[in-house]
Each structure stands twice: as C-alpha cells, then as structure tokens.
Amino acid sequence: MVDHGSILVTGAAGQLGAVGRTVTGLLLDRGLPVRAMVRREDERAAALRAAGAEVVVGNLLEPADVYRVVSGCQRVYFGMSVSTGYLEATVTMAAVAREVGVNALVNMSQMTVSQMSIQHTTPSPQQRQHWLSEQTLAWSSLPVVTVRPTVFLEGFFLPLTGPSVRDRGRIELPFGQGKTNPVAAADVARVVAAALADPGPHLGRIYELTGPRSQDMHGVAQVLGSAEP
Ligand SMILES: NC(=O)c1ccc[n+]([C@@H]2O[C@H](COP(=O)([O-])OP(=O)(O)OC[C@H]3O[C@@H](n4cnc5c(N)ncnc54)[C@H](OP(=O)(O)O)[C@@H]3O)[C@@H](O)[C@H]2O)c1
C-alpha cells in the first residue's frame, strides 16, 4: 500500500466552528494518521493527542514552523481564525506546500467570495482576506480544494440568537429583511474530511456549502418556535 504520510490539520484546537478539531476526529475514525497543528500545549492539545493525533505546536505566521509541520505530509487542511495576518499565513502555507510537494490542500474560505471580483469587493477586511487568499492559491498552481461555507450554525448563529430567544423570546440580530442560510460546521467538517481522505476527484473544485434553506429572520423564528422543547 502507498504511504501518503500523515494528513496535516491546521487550527486543530479551534473552538468557534472547530472545523479542524472535527476533521481530526473524522479522519482518525477512518483510521487515517493525522498531524494536528495547534498554537500551544493546553488541554485541547492533550485531548487531540488522547484521541490519537500526532500533535505539533506552531505558528502559521512563522515560515520555519510551517515548514516543520508540513514536512512529511502530502495532504493538508488549511484553516485558521481570520486576523490581519491571514493572507500572510496563506502565502506562507502556499510557499511551503510547493516546496514540500503537497498533493492536496483543502482551503477553508467563505461563501461571500463567490460574490466578489476585482470590481466587486466588500468593505469587510475578513472577506477581502479570503478573496485574496483564494487568488494567491490559484496562482500557486497547487492542487487545491476550496470550501466556501455560509455562516456556521454552531459557532456563530446559535450563540448569537440563543440568549435573546431564551430571555426575551426574540431574535435580535441586525439582518433587517436579509436572508441567510446557516450551515452546520460539523457538515462542513464532513466535506473537508471526505476531500482529504480521497482528494483525487475533488482537486480544483470549489464547494459552496449551505444549509437546507435560505430565509429571513421571520422564517428562522418560525423554525425555532416550532421546535420541540
Ligand atoms: N464562523 C463562521 O460562521 C464561518 C463561516 C464561513 C467560513 N468561516 C471561516 O472558517 C475559518 C475558521 O474556522 P473555524 O471556526 O473552524 O476555526 P476556529 O474554531 O476559530 O479555529 C481556528 C484555529 O486557528 C488557530 N490559529 C489562529 N491563528 C493561528 C496562527 N497564527 N497559527 C496557528 N494557529 C492559529 C486558533 O488557535 P487558538 O485556538 O490557539 O486561538 C484556532 O484554534 C475562517 O477562515 C472563517 O473565515 C467561518
């Protein structure tokens, strides 16, 4: 059997959407070796190690760290919290992945990028970072799989709606009449894990991931209101 080495999962200790952490578990469940990258040794790192991952500590903004953690891996999930250094981290990862000869890089992006172009960007720094990062990876000629989810249910939508629904029976979010279609971060992780486990059919593809239905906050309220306690 061909040895593809471990699969590198960055941002593996995450807590917001925790896609990296869930992907780590899903790959381990499939019997695949996982190198889980974290920023520091803490109880989250210990839990990943206890689950069977090889845990490595590093900073995605440090090229030497990135080279150390990618070396020996042919498949990589690249995901981290968006910050001012996000584009820099993407460029660093792309340079290292080319040097190491990565066979598949699954890149976490955002659905908003689907509506962006040179003439149509947004004022959101976060969305721009993702758009520029996708541009960079396209120029890199790396074998990339792009995942563009809408807003995550678990890490964003539910925490922001939960308290006001519980305390005042209201959804208090600045959506106006706008519609949204949240997706479960766990489902996003399933897509990422499937692409990492067998990248061939997915290379070069862009996956736009949504929930089952786009609706305004009145529609969301109806769904929440009809849920069994
Ligand atoms: N939230 C949403 O609704 C949503 C929707 C669509 C797309 N996305 C995209 O999803 C991505 C975030 O995914 P997620 O929610 O699964 O992530 P997450 O749970 O927030 O985890 C991100 C991880 O990145 C790590 N990290 C941050 N900076 C780092 C650095 N310099 N070096 C090494 N690790 C670093 C963090 O480490 P620490 O834990 O140590 O801080 C954290 O563990 C973002 O790109 C975001 O734009 C999010």
Side-chain angles (χ1 to χ4, degrees), residues 8-35:
L8 175 65
V9 176
T10 69
Q15 281 175 324
L16 197 61
V19 171
R21 183 152 49 84
T22 309
V23 166
T24 298
L26 290 168
L27 293 174
L28 290 170
D29 287 348
R30 290 177 183 234
L32 294 165
V34 178
R35 182 178 293 174

mmCIF file of all heavy atoms in Angstrom, residues 8-35:
data_model
loop_
_atom_site.group_PDB
_atom_site.id
_atom_site.type_symbol
_atom_site.label_atom_id
_atom_site.label_comp_id
_atom_site.label_asym_id
_atom_site.label_seq_id
_atom_site.Cartn_x
_atom_site.Cartn_y
_atom_site.Cartn_z
ATOM 1 N N LEU A 8 -2.069 16.685 7.504
ATOM 2 C CA LEU A 8 -1.917 17.823 8.407
ATOM 3 C C LEU A 8 -3.238 18.579 8.522
ATOM 4 O O LEU A 8 -3.835 18.961 7.506
ATOM 5 C CB LEU A 8 -0.834 18.782 7.901
ATOM 6 C CG LEU A 8 -0.691 20.068 8.723
ATOM 7 C CD1 LEU A 8 -0.209 19.773 10.144
ATOM 8 C CD2 LEU A 8 0.245 21.057 8.027
ATOM 9 N N VAL A 9 -3.662 18.801 9.761
ATOM 10 C CA VAL A 9 -4.853 19.616 10.020
ATOM 11 C C VAL A 9 -4.408 20.823 10.832
ATOM 12 O O VAL A 9 -3.968 20.679 11.979
ATOM 13 C CB VAL A 9 -5.931 18.822 10.787
ATOM 14 C CG1 VAL A 9 -7.120 19.721 11.128
ATOM 15 C CG2 VAL A 9 -6.392 17.623 9.972
ATOM 16 N N THR A 10 -4.513 22.020 10.251
ATOM 17 C CA THR A 10 -4.149 23.233 10.997
ATOM 18 C C THR A 10 -5.369 23.712 11.791
ATOM 19 O O THR A 10 -6.498 23.284 11.547
ATOM 20 C CB THR A 10 -3.673 24.355 10.047
ATOM 21 O OG1 THR A 10 -4.784 24.810 9.279
ATOM 22 C CG2 THR A 10 -2.559 23.884 9.124
ATOM 23 N N GLY A 11 -5.123 24.610 12.733
ATOM 24 C CA GLY A 11 -6.224 25.145 13.551
ATOM 25 C C GLY A 11 -6.988 24.041 14.247
ATOM 26 O O GLY A 11 -8.197 24.134 14.446
ATOM 27 N N ALA A 12 -6.274 22.988 14.664
ATOM 28 C CA ALA A 12 -6.956 21.781 15.147
ATOM 29 C C ALA A 12 -7.554 21.929 16.541
ATOM 30 O O ALA A 12 -8.352 21.097 16.962
ATOM 31 C CB ALA A 12 -6.000 20.590 15.116
ATOM 32 N N ALA A 13 -7.143 22.996 17.256
ATOM 33 C CA ALA A 13 -7.676 23.169 18.620
ATOM 34 C C ALA A 13 -8.853 24.132 18.649
ATOM 35 O O ALA A 13 -9.314 24.514 19.714
ATOM 36 C CB ALA A 13 -6.569 23.673 19.549
ATOM 37 N N GLY A 14 -9.345 24.521 17.473
ATOM 38 C CA GLY A 14 -10.343 25.588 17.382
ATOM 39 C C GLY A 14 -11.604 25.335 18.180
ATOM 40 O O GLY A 14 -11.968 24.191 18.451
ATOM 41 N N GLN A 15 -12.263 26.438 18.526
ATOM 42 C CA GLN A 15 -13.475 26.317 19.346
ATOM 43 C C GLN A 15 -14.667 27.027 18.737
ATOM 44 O O GLN A 15 -15.795 26.800 19.161
ATOM 45 C CB GLN A 15 -13.210 26.892 20.744
ATOM 46 C CG GLN A 15 -12.441 25.923 21.608
ATOM 47 C CD GLN A 15 -12.056 26.509 22.940
ATOM 48 O OE1 GLN A 15 -11.756 27.691 23.028
ATOM 49 N NE2 GLN A 15 -12.062 25.693 23.969
ATOM 50 N N LEU A 16 -14.447 27.891 17.755
ATOM 51 C CA LEU A 16 -15.559 28.656 17.195
ATOM 52 C C LEU A 16 -16.386 27.713 16.317
ATOM 53 O O LEU A 16 -17.410 27.199 16.746
ATOM 54 C CB LEU A 16 -15.011 29.864 16.421
ATOM 55 C CG LEU A 16 -16.003 30.966 16.117
ATOM 56 C CD1 LEU A 16 -16.551 31.552 17.385
ATOM 57 C CD2 LEU A 16 -15.351 32.045 15.263
ATOM 58 N N GLY A 17 -15.948 27.456 15.117
ATOM 59 C CA GLY A 17 -16.585 26.427 14.301
ATOM 60 C C GLY A 17 -15.960 25.069 14.593
ATOM 61 O O GLY A 17 -16.569 24.027 14.397
ATOM 62 N N ALA A 18 -14.691 25.115 15.033
ATOM 63 C CA ALA A 18 -13.938 23.896 15.379
ATOM 64 C C ALA A 18 -13.891 22.899 14.229
ATOM 65 O O ALA A 18 -13.901 21.693 14.452
ATOM 66 C CB ALA A 18 -14.500 23.254 16.643
ATOM 67 N N VAL A 19 -13.845 23.417 13.005
ATOM 68 C CA VAL A 19 -13.806 22.512 11.849
ATOM 69 C C VAL A 19 -12.559 21.635 11.914
ATOM 70 O O VAL A 19 -12.628 20.421 11.708
ATOM 71 C CB VAL A 19 -13.856 23.317 10.525
ATOM 72 C CG1 VAL A 19 -13.594 22.411 9.327
ATOM 73 C CG2 VAL A 19 -15.207 24.012 10.387
ATOM 74 N N GLY A 20 -11.396 22.251 12.235
ATOM 75 C CA GLY A 20 -10.159 21.469 12.301
ATOM 76 C C GLY A 20 -10.236 20.347 13.316
ATOM 77 O O GLY A 20 -9.799 19.225 13.055
ATOM 78 N N ARG A 21 -10.817 20.645 14.473
ATOM 79 C CA ARG A 21 -10.923 19.610 15.513
ATOM 80 C C ARG A 21 -11.851 18.481 15.055
ATOM 81 O O ARG A 21 -11.539 17.297 15.210
ATOM 82 C CB ARG A 21 -11.438 20.247 16.809
ATOM 83 C CG ARG A 21 -11.531 19.291 17.964
ATOM 84 C CD ARG A 21 -11.379 19.999 19.295
ATOM 85 N NE ARG A 21 -12.222 21.190 19.423
ATOM 86 C CZ ARG A 21 -13.497 21.162 19.795
ATOM 87 N NH1 ARG A 21 -14.082 20.017 20.033
ATOM 88 N NH2 ARG A 21 -14.180 22.284 19.914
ATOM 89 N N THR A 22 -12.969 18.849 14.451
ATOM 90 C CA THR A 22 -13.905 17.811 13.992
ATOM 91 C C THR A 22 -13.297 16.995 12.856
ATOM 92 O O THR A 22 -13.445 15.769 12.812
ATOM 93 C CB THR A 22 -15.227 18.462 13.535
ATOM 94 O OG1 THR A 22 -15.689 19.334 14.563
ATOM 95 C CG2 THR A 22 -16.291 17.421 13.267
ATOM 96 N N VAL A 23 -12.585 17.683 11.953
ATOM 97 C CA VAL A 23 -11.937 16.964 10.843
ATOM 98 C C VAL A 23 -10.923 15.959 11.395
ATOM 99 O O VAL A 23 -10.846 14.812 10.930
ATOM 100 C CB VAL A 23 -11.233 17.966 9.884
ATOM 101 C CG1 VAL A 23 -10.277 17.247 8.940
ATOM 102 C CG2 VAL A 23 -12.266 18.760 9.098
ATOM 103 N N THR A 24 -10.170 16.387 12.399
ATOM 104 C CA THR A 24 -9.187 15.477 13.012
ATOM 105 C C THR A 24 -9.875 14.195 13.489
ATOM 106 O O THR A 24 -9.429 13.085 13.193
ATOM 107 C CB THR A 24 -8.482 16.189 14.200
ATOM 108 O OG1 THR A 24 -7.785 17.332 13.698
ATOM 109 C CG2 THR A 24 -7.500 15.268 14.893
ATOM 110 N N GLY A 25 -10.983 14.356 14.203
ATOM 111 C CA GLY A 25 -11.701 13.190 14.710
ATOM 112 C C GLY A 25 -12.246 12.311 13.595
ATOM 113 O O GLY A 25 -12.150 11.076 13.655
ATOM 114 N N LEU A 26 -12.781 12.940 12.558
ATOM 115 C CA LEU A 26 -13.367 12.159 11.454
ATOM 116 C C LEU A 26 -12.295 11.350 10.718
ATOM 117 O O LEU A 26 -12.527 10.195 10.331
ATOM 118 C CB LEU A 26 -14.069 13.106 10.472
ATOM 119 C CG LEU A 26 -15.352 13.771 10.990
ATOM 120 C CD1 LEU A 26 -15.798 14.890 10.053
ATOM 121 C CD2 LEU A 26 -16.461 12.731 11.139
ATOM 122 N N LEU A 27 -11.113 11.949 10.534
ATOM 123 C CA LEU A 27 -10.034 11.232 9.838
ATOM 124 C C LEU A 27 -9.493 10.096 10.700
ATOM 125 O O LEU A 27 -9.222 8.993 10.194
ATOM 126 C CB LEU A 27 -8.913 12.208 9.459
ATOM 127 C CG LEU A 27 -9.282 13.260 8.404
ATOM 128 C CD1 LEU A 27 -8.134 14.269 8.228
ATOM 129 C CD2 LEU A 27 -9.608 12.611 7.054
ATOM 130 N N LEU A 28 -9.368 10.363 12.002
ATOM 131 C CA LEU A 28 -8.912 9.297 12.905
ATOM 132 C C LEU A 28 -9.911 8.143 12.911
ATOM 133 O O LEU A 28 -9.534 6.968 12.912
ATOM 134 C CB LEU A 28 -8.705 9.845 14.321
ATOM 135 C CG LEU A 28 -7.514 10.806 14.496
ATOM 136 C CD1 LEU A 28 -7.555 11.467 15.876
ATOM 137 C CD2 LEU A 28 -6.173 10.086 14.303
ATOM 138 N N ASP A 29 -11.213 8.495 12.876
ATOM 139 C CA ASP A 29 -12.255 7.448 12.827
ATOM 140 C C ASP A 29 -12.107 6.574 11.593
ATOM 141 O O ASP A 29 -12.478 5.397 11.606
ATOM 142 C CB ASP A 29 -13.655 8.085 12.808
ATOM 143 C CG ASP A 29 -14.038 8.670 14.158
ATOM 144 O OD1 ASP A 29 -13.331 8.386 15.145
ATOM 145 O OD2 ASP A 29 -15.026 9.424 14.207
ATOM 146 N N ARG A 30 -11.596 7.175 10.512
ATOM 147 C CA ARG A 30 -11.384 6.388 9.282
ATOM 148 C C ARG A 30 -10.083 5.604 9.323
ATOM 149 O O ARG A 30 -9.704 4.976 8.333
ATOM 150 C CB ARG A 30 -11.327 7.322 8.061
ATOM 151 C CG ARG A 30 -12.641 7.966 7.681
ATOM 152 C CD ARG A 30 -12.396 8.906 6.512
ATOM 153 N NE ARG A 30 -13.591 9.625 6.112
ATOM 154 C CZ ARG A 30 -14.064 9.635 4.869
ATOM 155 N NH1 ARG A 30 -13.458 8.947 3.924
ATOM 156 N NH2 ARG A 30 -15.140 10.341 4.573
ATOM 157 N N GLY A 31 -9.341 5.735 10.415
ATOM 158 C CA GLY A 31 -8.076 5.016 10.528
ATOM 159 C C GLY A 31 -6.922 5.707 9.830
ATOM 160 O O GLY A 31 -5.874 5.086 9.587
ATOM 161 N N LEU A 32 -7.088 6.993 9.512
ATOM 162 C CA LEU A 32 -6.031 7.725 8.812
ATOM 163 C C LEU A 32 -5.144 8.462 9.821
ATOM 164 O O LEU A 32 -5.650 9.000 10.814
ATOM 165 C CB LEU A 32 -6.655 8.724 7.828
ATOM 166 C CG LEU A 32 -7.420 8.067 6.680
ATOM 167 C CD1 LEU A 32 -8.311 9.075 5.964
ATOM 168 C CD2 LEU A 32 -6.436 7.427 5.694
ATOM 169 N N PRO A 33 -3.829 8.514 9.568
ATOM 170 C CA PRO A 33 -2.938 9.204 10.506
ATOM 171 C C PRO A 33 -3.063 10.719 10.366
ATOM 172 O O PRO A 33 -3.048 11.247 9.256
ATOM 173 C CB PRO A 33 -1.539 8.730 10.080
ATOM 174 C CG PRO A 33 -1.681 8.312 8.656
ATOM 175 C CD PRO A 33 -3.109 7.895 8.438
ATOM 176 N N VAL A 34 -3.204 11.406 11.497
ATOM 177 C CA VAL A 34 -3.413 12.859 11.477
ATOM 178 C C VAL A 34 -2.340 13.570 12.294
ATOM 179 O O VAL A 34 -2.053 13.184 13.429
ATOM 180 C CB VAL A 34 -4.799 13.231 12.054
ATOM 181 C CG1 VAL A 34 -4.985 14.744 12.064
ATOM 182 C CG2 VAL A 34 -5.909 12.566 11.261
ATOM 183 N N ARG A 35 -1.757 14.600 11.704
ATOM 184 C CA ARG A 35 -0.881 15.522 12.434
ATOM 185 C C ARG A 35 -1.705 16.776 12.699
ATOM 186 O O ARG A 35 -2.084 17.489 11.762
ATOM 187 C CB ARG A 35 0.356 15.844 11.603
ATOM 188 C CG ARG A 35 1.330 16.761 12.314
ATOM 189 C CD ARG A 35 2.571 17.015 11.467
ATOM 190 N NE ARG A 35 3.364 15.801 11.294
ATOM 191 C CZ ARG A 35 4.428 15.733 10.492
ATOM 192 N NH1 ARG A 35 4.806 16.790 9.798
ATOM 193 N NH2 ARG A 35 5.117 14.605 10.380
#
